[in-house]
Amino acid sequence: MKSILSFATAVCLWLVLVAPVYAGGNIAAGQAKAGICAGCHGPDGNGGADPAWPKLAGQDPDYIAKQLADFKSGARKDPIMSGMAAPLSATDMKNLGAYFASLKAKPGAASDALLAKQGQKIFRGGNATMGVSACMSCHGPSGHGIPPRFPKVSGQNTAYTQKQLLAFKAGNRANDSETMTRTAFRLSEQEIKAVAEYMAGLH
Ligand code: HEC
Ligand code: HEC
């Protein structure tokens, strides 16, 4: 009996220490709502036919829930996603976050090695002349993000990443208390291309 109890304690401890915490969302309930999302974000969350449709697999659950809330409130604007988020409750958003966070991200790849090398400099060291902080200081050295504030940016489609950085730069995406708007404002379009290319190959 004693050994069964200590085994149970060990299992509980293992669950507490090792099991991923998906910010309280329910994965199964999220999956039940995610059928419609698969058409664009992929049945495994790794994106669809159009590279402007972002990969969601392995993204931070709180970040996903926040983006859905921002699409619904209009703080982040996108004609497709505001429609998608409109019927979702706060609980649905949490559950969808838990579901997509639980999916395994497939590694992406940079297709232009020279461009990626330029991007690596910015990602790891920023641009001192322009006052751009190193991206990795918030997004982590491998771009995996630092939950719950800083999203994963590794392995993402370059077209999507570029579009977001240009939107931050222009002030069209302003749902981040200005952290990213201030950063992207100082990046040139060439630097945006380069850093997006580098991040696509990070894993
Ligand atoms: C018809 C295509 C389409 C469908 C269906 C769709 N999305 Fe999206 N989703 C997009 C596009 C396009 C974007 C990028 C918007 C932008 O450029 O800002 C996006 C962005 C997102 C983002 C932000 C990702 C990030 O990294 O910031 C989340 C989260 C998201 N979608 C979740 C969902 C969920 C959950 C569903 C299902 C309820 C869904 N989407 C259905 C096309 C779609
Ligand atoms: C001071 C912290 C900080 C730094 C430095 C930073 N970021 Fe971010 N980044 C954030 C936060 C916070 C968000 C999430 C904003 C939100 O909630 O919508 C974000 C979001 C993003 C996104 C959107 C991700 C998505 O899925 O839509 C991209 C792309 C990105 N950052 C790229 C970069 C790049 C490239 C750099 C370096 C040039 C950089 N970031 C530097 C904090 C930072």
Side-chain angles (χ1 to χ4, degrees):
M1 186 62 194
K2 196 162 169 251
S3 69
I4 290 178
L5 270 180
S6 57
F7 176 71
T9 314
V11 169
C12 287
L13 250 180
W14 178 83
L15 280 173
V16 169
L17 294 175
V18 179
V21 175
Y22 293 117
N26 182 307
I27 297 176
Q31 183 170 19
K33 288 263 170 187
I36 190 172
C37 323
C40 296
H41 296 290
D44 63 355
N46 279 285
D50 187 332
W53 300 334
K55 300 177 183 177
L56 302 176
Q59 182 56 280
D60 175 56
D62 289 321
Y63 171 79
I64 293 177
K66 175 184 180 285
Q67 298 310 307
L68 291 170
D70 287 351
F71 283 126
K72 184 170 176 165
S73 74
R76 179 172 172 185
K77 294 180 176 55
D78 179 73
I80 300 173
M81 278 311 300
S82 26
M84 289 292 152
L88 302 175
S89 69
T91 307
D92 293 337
M93 293 173 186
K94 265 193 164 183
N95 294 342
L96 283 160
Y99 170 63
F100 282 108
S102 76
L103 300 177
K104 200 168 163 44
K106 285 192 187 143
S111 51
D112 183 331
L114 195 67
L115 196 58
K117 206 154 175 72
Q118 292 167 15
Q120 181 179 30
K121 268 197 187 152
I122 300 162
F123 191 85
R124 304 194 69 85
N127 179 339
T129 326
M130 293 303 289
V132 176
S133 315
C135 318
M136 74 171 191
S137 63
C138 291
H139 295 288
S142 307
H144 292 174
I146 305 174
R149 279 227 346 102
F150 306 117
K152 171 179 181 301
V153 291
S154 57
Q156 187 56 274
N157 302 329
T158 49
Y160 170 77
T161 302
Q162 276 188 43
K163 186 181 167 218
Q164 297 313 306
L165 290 172
L166 290 171
F168 282 128
K169 182 177 166 71
N172 297 333
R173 178 173 167 184
N175 62 326
D176 73 325
S177 345
E178 294 186 10
T179 317
M180 279 307 302
T181 30
R182 265 187 270 137
T183 303
F185 182 68
R186 299 189 169 96
L187 292 173
S188 69
E189 287 188 17
Q190 167 64 23
E191 287 175 317
I192 285 178
K193 255 190 161 167
V195 80
E197 189 70 24
Y198 176 67
M199 290 191 296
L202 269 179
H203 51 80

mmCIF file of all heavy atoms in Angstrom, residues 33 36-37 40-41 52-56 59 63-64 67-68 71 76-78 80-81 84 88 96 100 156 160 163-164 173, ligand 1:
data_model
loop_
_atom_site.group_PDB
_atom_site.id
_atom_site.type_symbol
_atom_site.label_atom_id
_atom_site.label_comp_id
_atom_site.label_asym_id
_atom_site.label_seq_id
_atom_site.Cartn_x
_atom_site.Cartn_y
_atom_site.Cartn_z
ATOM 1 N N LYS A 33 -14.074 23.098 -31.062
ATOM 2 C CA LYS A 33 -14.403 24.386 -31.705
ATOM 3 C C LYS A 33 -13.495 24.681 -32.891
ATOM 4 O O LYS A 33 -13.658 25.705 -33.567
ATOM 5 C CB LYS A 33 -14.216 25.522 -30.680
ATOM 6 C CG LYS A 33 -15.264 25.582 -29.605
ATOM 7 C CD LYS A 33 -16.321 26.605 -29.964
ATOM 8 C CE LYS A 33 -17.496 26.506 -29.012
ATOM 9 N NZ LYS A 33 -18.602 27.354 -29.429
ATOM 10 N N ILE A 36 -13.500 24.638 -37.880
ATOM 11 C CA ILE A 36 -13.551 25.710 -38.886
ATOM 12 C C ILE A 36 -12.165 26.344 -39.096
ATOM 13 O O ILE A 36 -11.851 26.828 -40.179
ATOM 14 C CB ILE A 36 -14.600 26.775 -38.484
ATOM 15 C CG1 ILE A 36 -14.839 27.759 -39.615
ATOM 16 C CG2 ILE A 36 -14.198 27.513 -37.206
ATOM 17 C CD1 ILE A 36 -15.988 28.715 -39.363
ATOM 18 N N CYS A 37 -11.341 26.304 -38.065
ATOM 19 C CA CYS A 37 -10.009 26.934 -38.121
ATOM 20 C C CYS A 37 -9.078 26.144 -39.034
ATOM 21 O O CYS A 37 -8.163 26.700 -39.648
ATOM 22 C CB CYS A 37 -9.380 27.032 -36.737
ATOM 23 S SG CYS A 37 -10.536 27.391 -35.402
ATOM 24 N N CYS A 40 -7.854 27.023 -42.734
ATOM 25 C CA CYS A 40 -6.770 27.977 -43.016
ATOM 26 C C CYS A 40 -5.512 27.685 -42.190
ATOM 27 O O CYS A 40 -4.402 27.867 -42.683
ATOM 28 C CB CYS A 40 -7.218 29.405 -42.730
ATOM 29 S SG CYS A 40 -8.563 29.945 -43.801
ATOM 30 N N HIS A 41 -5.687 27.289 -40.937
ATOM 31 C CA HIS A 41 -4.499 27.096 -40.080
ATOM 32 C C HIS A 41 -3.989 25.657 -40.127
ATOM 33 O O HIS A 41 -3.001 25.341 -39.463
ATOM 34 C CB HIS A 41 -4.809 27.537 -38.645
ATOM 35 C CG HIS A 41 -5.103 29.009 -38.546
ATOM 36 N ND1 HIS A 41 -4.117 29.963 -38.719
ATOM 37 C CD2 HIS A 41 -6.253 29.697 -38.343
ATOM 38 C CE1 HIS A 41 -4.661 31.174 -38.608
ATOM 39 N NE2 HIS A 41 -5.964 31.043 -38.387
ATOM 40 N N ALA A 52 0.123 33.475 -45.907
ATOM 41 C CA ALA A 52 -0.335 34.580 -45.060
ATOM 42 C C ALA A 52 -1.197 34.066 -43.907
ATOM 43 O O ALA A 52 -1.568 34.823 -43.015
ATOM 44 C CB ALA A 52 -1.121 35.590 -45.887
ATOM 45 N N TRP A 53 -1.540 32.759 -43.939
ATOM 46 C CA TRP A 53 -2.293 32.145 -42.842
ATOM 47 C C TRP A 53 -1.273 31.583 -41.856
ATOM 48 O O TRP A 53 -0.543 30.639 -42.194
ATOM 49 C CB TRP A 53 -3.184 31.011 -43.354
ATOM 50 C CG TRP A 53 -4.211 31.429 -44.365
ATOM 51 C CD1 TRP A 53 -4.764 32.661 -44.521
ATOM 52 C CD2 TRP A 53 -4.815 30.589 -45.363
ATOM 53 N NE1 TRP A 53 -5.669 32.638 -45.559
ATOM 54 C CE2 TRP A 53 -5.727 31.386 -46.081
ATOM 55 C CE3 TRP A 53 -4.684 29.242 -45.711
ATOM 56 C CZ2 TRP A 53 -6.499 30.897 -47.131
ATOM 57 C CZ3 TRP A 53 -5.450 28.733 -46.760
ATOM 58 C CH2 TRP A 53 -6.348 29.563 -47.464
ATOM 59 N N PRO A 54 -1.187 32.146 -40.665
ATOM 60 C CA PRO A 54 -0.101 31.737 -39.762
ATOM 61 C C PRO A 54 -0.243 30.335 -39.202
ATOM 62 O O PRO A 54 -1.342 29.791 -39.086
ATOM 63 C CB PRO A 54 -0.196 32.770 -38.632
ATOM 64 C CG PRO A 54 -1.601 33.235 -38.648
ATOM 65 C CD PRO A 54 -2.024 33.213 -40.095
ATOM 66 N N LYS A 55 0.898 29.758 -38.851
ATOM 67 C CA LYS A 55 0.929 28.502 -38.099
ATOM 68 C C LYS A 55 0.590 28.832 -36.649
ATOM 69 O O LYS A 55 1.059 29.852 -36.125
ATOM 70 C CB LYS A 55 2.332 27.898 -38.148
ATOM 71 C CG LYS A 55 2.819 27.590 -39.552
ATOM 72 C CD LYS A 55 4.246 27.055 -39.504
ATOM 73 C CE LYS A 55 4.776 26.811 -40.911
ATOM 74 N NZ LYS A 55 6.176 26.353 -40.927
ATOM 75 N N LEU A 56 -0.194 27.983 -36.027
ATOM 76 C CA LEU A 56 -0.570 28.204 -34.621
ATOM 77 C C LEU A 56 -0.038 27.096 -33.718
ATOM 78 O O LEU A 56 -0.047 27.247 -32.486
ATOM 79 C CB LEU A 56 -2.103 28.257 -34.486
ATOM 80 C CG LEU A 56 -2.863 29.325 -35.304
ATOM 81 C CD1 LEU A 56 -4.367 29.148 -35.114
ATOM 82 C CD2 LEU A 56 -2.441 30.729 -34.910
ATOM 83 N N GLN A 59 2.134 27.439 -30.347
ATOM 84 C CA GLN A 59 2.163 28.843 -29.904
ATOM 85 C C GLN A 59 1.715 28.919 -28.447
ATOM 86 O O GLN A 59 1.003 28.031 -27.960
ATOM 87 C CB GLN A 59 1.258 29.687 -30.820
ATOM 88 C CG GLN A 59 1.219 31.180 -30.537
ATOM 89 C CD GLN A 59 2.568 31.865 -30.548
ATOM 90 O OE1 GLN A 59 3.309 31.795 -29.566
ATOM 91 N NE2 GLN A 59 2.915 32.504 -31.655
ATOM 92 N N TYR A 63 -1.132 33.799 -25.429
ATOM 93 C CA TYR A 63 -0.972 34.701 -26.576
ATOM 94 C C TYR A 63 -2.111 34.471 -27.578
ATOM 95 O O TYR A 63 -2.715 35.418 -28.074
ATOM 96 C CB TYR A 63 0.402 34.491 -27.240
ATOM 97 C CG TYR A 63 0.531 35.229 -28.555
ATOM 98 C CD1 TYR A 63 0.792 36.599 -28.578
ATOM 99 C CD2 TYR A 63 0.350 34.580 -29.772
ATOM 100 C CE1 TYR A 63 0.880 37.285 -29.787
ATOM 101 C CE2 TYR A 63 0.431 35.250 -30.978
ATOM 102 C CZ TYR A 63 0.706 36.613 -30.983
ATOM 103 O OH TYR A 63 0.773 37.293 -32.174
ATOM 104 N N ILE A 64 -2.427 33.192 -27.851
ATOM 105 C CA ILE A 64 -3.517 32.888 -28.800
ATOM 106 C C ILE A 64 -4.835 33.467 -28.281
ATOM 107 O O ILE A 64 -5.561 34.150 -29.010
ATOM 108 C CB ILE A 64 -3.649 31.356 -29.014
ATOM 109 C CG1 ILE A 64 -2.406 30.832 -29.734
ATOM 110 C CG2 ILE A 64 -4.933 31.011 -29.793
ATOM 111 C CD1 ILE A 64 -2.383 29.325 -29.936
ATOM 112 N N GLN A 67 -4.893 37.205 -28.725
ATOM 113 C CA GLN A 67 -5.096 37.654 -30.112
ATOM 114 C C GLN A 67 -6.564 37.509 -30.505
ATOM 115 O O GLN A 67 -7.128 38.389 -31.157
ATOM 116 C CB GLN A 67 -4.201 36.872 -31.080
ATOM 117 C CG GLN A 67 -2.701 37.046 -30.832
ATOM 118 C CD GLN A 67 -2.265 38.488 -30.707
ATOM 119 O OE1 GLN A 67 -2.549 39.313 -31.579
ATOM 120 N NE2 GLN A 67 -1.585 38.830 -29.625
ATOM 121 N N LEU A 68 -7.186 36.397 -30.078
ATOM 122 C CA LEU A 68 -8.601 36.191 -30.420
ATOM 123 C C LEU A 68 -9.460 37.282 -29.779
ATOM 124 O O LEU A 68 -10.362 37.833 -30.424
ATOM 125 C CB LEU A 68 -9.049 34.785 -29.999
ATOM 126 C CG LEU A 68 -8.420 33.644 -30.825
ATOM 127 C CD1 LEU A 68 -8.717 32.284 -30.196
ATOM 128 C CD2 LEU A 68 -8.917 33.674 -32.285
ATOM 129 N N PHE A 71 -8.912 40.441 -31.777
ATOM 130 C CA PHE A 71 -9.647 40.432 -33.060
ATOM 131 C C PHE A 71 -11.118 40.738 -32.793
ATOM 132 O O PHE A 71 -11.757 41.485 -33.524
ATOM 133 C CB PHE A 71 -9.538 39.065 -33.752
ATOM 134 C CG PHE A 71 -8.214 38.802 -34.451
ATOM 135 C CD1 PHE A 71 -7.464 37.662 -34.163
ATOM 136 C CD2 PHE A 71 -7.730 39.673 -35.425
ATOM 137 C CE1 PHE A 71 -6.262 37.398 -34.830
ATOM 138 C CE2 PHE A 71 -6.521 39.418 -36.091
ATOM 139 C CZ PHE A 71 -5.786 38.277 -35.785
ATOM 140 N N ARG A 76 -7.048 44.416 -32.707
ATOM 141 C CA ARG A 76 -6.242 43.938 -33.838
ATOM 142 C C ARG A 76 -7.206 43.724 -34.993
ATOM 143 O O ARG A 76 -8.250 43.082 -34.820
ATOM 144 C CB ARG A 76 -5.528 42.628 -33.477
ATOM 145 C CG ARG A 76 -4.699 42.080 -34.640
ATOM 146 C CD ARG A 76 -3.838 40.898 -34.255
ATOM 147 N NE ARG A 76 -3.226 40.302 -35.439
ATOM 148 C CZ ARG A 76 -2.494 39.192 -35.432
ATOM 149 N NH1 ARG A 76 -2.277 38.553 -34.282
ATOM 150 N NH2 ARG A 76 -1.971 38.726 -36.558
ATOM 151 N N LYS A 77 -6.857 44.286 -36.140
ATOM 152 C CA LYS A 77 -7.813 44.282 -37.252
ATOM 153 C C LYS A 77 -7.416 43.304 -38.348
ATOM 154 O O LYS A 77 -6.297 43.342 -38.842
ATOM 155 C CB LYS A 77 -7.912 45.700 -37.838
ATOM 156 C CG LYS A 77 -8.526 46.669 -36.854
ATOM 157 C CD LYS A 77 -8.636 48.070 -37.422
ATOM 158 C CE LYS A 77 -9.339 48.999 -36.449
ATOM 159 N NZ LYS A 77 -8.727 49.059 -35.110
ATOM 160 N N ASP A 78 -8.356 42.441 -38.706
ATOM 161 C CA ASP A 78 -8.196 41.584 -39.878
ATOM 162 C C ASP A 78 -9.600 41.166 -40.294
ATOM 163 O O ASP A 78 -10.364 40.662 -39.463
ATOM 164 C CB ASP A 78 -7.343 40.345 -39.551
ATOM 165 C CG ASP A 78 -7.192 39.447 -40.775
ATOM 166 O OD1 ASP A 78 -6.450 39.837 -41.691
ATOM 167 O OD2 ASP A 78 -7.829 38.381 -40.832
ATOM 168 N N ILE A 80 -10.846 38.739 -41.977
ATOM 169 C CA ILE A 80 -11.218 37.326 -41.798
ATOM 170 C C ILE A 80 -11.336 37.011 -40.313
ATOM 171 O O ILE A 80 -12.340 36.483 -39.838
ATOM 172 C CB ILE A 80 -10.170 36.384 -42.432
ATOM 173 C CG1 ILE A 80 -10.046 36.652 -43.925
ATOM 174 C CG2 ILE A 80 -10.531 34.924 -42.167
ATOM 175 C CD1 ILE A 80 -8.913 35.872 -44.600
ATOM 176 N N MET A 81 -10.282 37.334 -39.560
ATOM 177 C CA MET A 81 -10.235 36.892 -38.175
ATOM 178 C C MET A 81 -11.225 37.616 -37.266
ATOM 179 O O MET A 81 -11.670 37.048 -36.272
ATOM 180 C CB MET A 81 -8.806 37.003 -37.618
ATOM 181 C CG MET A 81 -7.912 35.833 -37.994
ATOM 182 S SD MET A 81 -8.660 34.204 -37.683
ATOM 183 C CE MET A 81 -8.940 34.290 -35.932
ATOM 184 N N MET A 84 -14.160 35.514 -37.514
ATOM 185 C CA MET A 84 -13.957 34.208 -36.861
ATOM 186 C C MET A 84 -14.062 34.333 -35.339
ATOM 187 O O MET A 84 -14.563 33.444 -34.650
ATOM 188 C CB MET A 84 -12.566 33.653 -37.195
ATOM 189 C CG MET A 84 -12.415 33.192 -38.611
ATOM 190 S SD MET A 84 -13.440 31.744 -38.881
ATOM 191 C CE MET A 84 -13.755 31.908 -40.618
ATOM 192 N N LEU A 88 -16.886 33.833 -30.479
ATOM 193 C CA LEU A 88 -16.179 33.089 -29.429
ATOM 194 C C LEU A 88 -16.301 33.774 -28.068
ATOM 195 O O LEU A 88 -16.167 35.001 -27.973
ATOM 196 C CB LEU A 88 -14.692 32.950 -29.791
ATOM 197 C CG LEU A 88 -14.362 32.248 -31.119
ATOM 198 C CD1 LEU A 88 -12.858 32.304 -31.383
ATOM 199 C CD2 LEU A 88 -14.845 30.795 -31.103
ATOM 200 N N LEU A 96 -9.322 27.194 -27.157
ATOM 201 C CA LEU A 96 -8.665 27.132 -28.469
ATOM 202 C C LEU A 96 -7.162 27.349 -28.304
ATOM 203 O O LEU A 96 -6.346 26.703 -28.958
ATOM 204 C CB LEU A 96 -9.271 28.179 -29.416
ATOM 205 C CG LEU A 96 -10.633 27.792 -29.999
ATOM 206 C CD1 LEU A 96 -11.392 29.006 -30.506
ATOM 207 C CD2 LEU A 96 -10.468 26.764 -31.128
ATOM 208 N N PHE A 100 -4.408 24.609 -29.629
ATOM 209 C CA PHE A 100 -3.339 24.859 -30.613
ATOM 210 C C PHE A 100 -1.954 24.794 -29.960
ATOM 211 O O PHE A 100 -0.989 24.362 -30.583
ATOM 212 C CB PHE A 100 -3.568 26.189 -31.347
ATOM 213 C CG PHE A 100 -4.625 26.080 -32.415
ATOM 214 C CD1 PHE A 100 -5.875 26.656 -32.257
ATOM 215 C CD2 PHE A 100 -4.376 25.350 -33.576
ATOM 216 C CE1 PHE A 100 -6.862 26.527 -33.235
ATOM 217 C CE2 PHE A 100 -5.346 25.213 -34.557
ATOM 218 C CZ PHE A 100 -6.588 25.800 -34.388
ATOM 219 N N GLN A 156 7.812 30.274 -38.382
ATOM 220 C CA GLN A 156 6.595 30.858 -38.959
ATOM 221 C C GLN A 156 6.812 31.166 -40.449
ATOM 222 O O GLN A 156 7.955 31.368 -40.886
ATOM 223 C CB GLN A 156 6.245 32.141 -38.183
ATOM 224 C CG GLN A 156 4.928 32.779 -38.539
ATOM 225 C CD GLN A 156 3.744 31.838 -38.399
ATOM 226 O OE1 GLN A 156 3.417 31.090 -39.323
ATOM 227 N NE2 GLN A 156 3.102 31.851 -37.244
ATOM 228 N N TYR A 160 3.744 35.767 -43.594
ATOM 229 C CA TYR A 160 2.960 36.212 -42.445
ATOM 230 C C TYR A 160 3.803 37.118 -41.542
ATOM 231 O O TYR A 160 3.350 38.191 -41.135
ATOM 232 C CB TYR A 160 2.430 35.004 -41.645
ATOM 233 C CG TYR A 160 1.822 35.426 -40.318
ATOM 234 C CD1 TYR A 160 0.559 36.003 -40.278
ATOM 235 C CD2 TYR A 160 2.542 35.319 -39.125
ATOM 236 C CE1 TYR A 160 0.005 36.450 -39.076
ATOM 237 C CE2 TYR A 160 2.000 35.757 -37.927
ATOM 238 C CZ TYR A 160 0.737 36.317 -37.904
ATOM 239 O OH TYR A 160 0.200 36.760 -36.716
ATOM 240 N N LYS A 163 4.344 40.508 -43.009
ATOM 241 C CA LYS A 163 3.110 41.304 -42.992
ATOM 242 C C LYS A 163 2.900 41.904 -41.590
ATOM 243 O O LYS A 163 2.509 43.063 -41.450
ATOM 244 C CB LYS A 163 1.920 40.421 -43.388
ATOM 245 C CG LYS A 163 0.638 41.208 -43.534
ATOM 246 C CD LYS A 163 -0.553 40.352 -43.905
ATOM 247 C CE LYS A 163 -1.817 41.176 -43.716
ATOM 248 N NZ LYS A 163 -2.935 40.410 -43.170
ATOM 249 N N GLN A 164 3.169 41.108 -40.545
ATOM 250 C CA GLN A 164 2.971 41.597 -39.174
ATOM 251 C C GLN A 164 3.958 42.711 -38.845
ATOM 252 O O GLN A 164 3.601 43.724 -38.254
ATOM 253 C CB GLN A 164 3.117 40.457 -38.155
ATOM 254 C CG GLN A 164 2.079 39.367 -38.328
ATOM 255 C CD GLN A 164 0.671 39.890 -38.477
ATOM 256 O OE1 GLN A 164 0.192 40.658 -37.650
ATOM 257 N NE2 GLN A 164 -0.009 39.511 -39.541
ATOM 258 N N ARG A 173 -1.029 47.491 -36.708
ATOM 259 C CA ARG A 173 -1.250 46.496 -35.648
ATOM 260 C C ARG A 173 -0.706 47.141 -34.374
ATOM 261 O O ARG A 173 0.505 47.267 -34.206
ATOM 262 C CB ARG A 173 -0.529 45.179 -35.944
ATOM 263 C CG ARG A 173 -0.720 44.170 -34.821
ATOM 264 C CD ARG A 173 -0.166 42.790 -35.126
ATOM 265 N NE ARG A 173 -0.134 42.012 -33.889
ATOM 266 C CZ ARG A 173 0.356 40.778 -33.774
ATOM 267 N NH1 ARG A 173 0.851 40.172 -34.844
ATOM 268 N NH2 ARG A 173 0.355 40.157 -32.618
HETATM 269 C C1 HEC B 1 -10.436 31.827 -43.882
HETATM 270 C C2 HEC B 1 -9.145 31.643 -43.220
HETATM 271 C C3 HEC B 1 -9.096 31.605 -41.702
HETATM 272 C C4 HEC B 1 -9.889 30.858 -40.840
HETATM 273 C C5 HEC B 1 -11.032 29.925 -41.175
HETATM 274 C C6 HEC B 1 -9.368 31.123 -39.504
HETATM 275 N N1 HEC B 1 -8.294 31.973 -39.574
HETATM 276 FE FE1 HEC B 1 -7.139 32.595 -38.009
HETATM 277 N N2 HEC B 1 -6.048 33.779 -39.264
HETATM 278 C C7 HEC B 1 -6.250 33.894 -40.622
HETATM 279 C C8 HEC B 1 -5.389 34.935 -41.148
HETATM 280 C C9 HEC B 1 -5.311 35.404 -42.589
HETATM 281 C C10 HEC B 1 -4.649 35.439 -40.053
HETATM 282 C C11 HEC B 1 -3.609 36.560 -40.069
HETATM 283 C C12 HEC B 1 -4.267 37.883 -39.815
HETATM 284 C C13 HEC B 1 -3.285 39.028 -39.925
HETATM 285 O O1 HEC B 1 -2.604 39.123 -40.954
HETATM 286 O O2 HEC B 1 -3.179 39.784 -38.963
HETATM 287 C C14 HEC B 1 -5.084 34.672 -38.885
HETATM 288 C C15 HEC B 1 -4.573 34.862 -37.612
HETATM 289 C C16 HEC B 1 -4.950 34.128 -36.507
HETATM 290 C C17 HEC B 1 -4.351 34.244 -35.194
HETATM 291 C C18 HEC B 1 -3.194 35.139 -34.807
HETATM 292 C C19 HEC B 1 -1.911 34.353 -34.932
HETATM 293 C C20 HEC B 1 -0.689 35.069 -34.431
HETATM 294 O O3 HEC B 1 0.390 34.444 -34.503
HETATM 295 O O4 HEC B 1 -0.769 36.208 -33.992
HETATM 296 C C21 HEC B 1 -5.008 33.361 -34.375
HETATM 297 C C22 HEC B 1 -4.733 33.115 -32.912
HETATM 298 C C23 HEC B 1 -6.021 32.710 -35.175
HETATM 299 N N3 HEC B 1 -5.952 33.188 -36.468
HETATM 300 C C24 HEC B 1 -6.885 31.744 -34.688
HETATM 301 C C25 HEC B 1 -7.928 31.195 -35.429
HETATM 302 C C26 HEC B 1 -8.940 30.325 -34.866
HETATM 303 C C27 HEC B 1 -8.972 29.866 -33.423
HETATM 304 C C28 HEC B 1 -9.802 30.010 -35.882
HETATM 305 C C29 HEC B 1 -11.059 29.165 -35.804
HETATM 306 C C30 HEC B 1 -12.057 29.584 -34.831
HETATM 307 C C31 HEC B 1 -9.323 30.683 -37.088
HETATM 308 N N4 HEC B 1 -8.196 31.399 -36.765
HETATM 309 C C32 HEC B 1 -9.900 30.591 -38.340
HETATM 310 C C33 HEC B 1 -7.117 33.140 -41.376
HETATM 311 C C34 HEC B 1 -8.092 32.298 -40.891
#
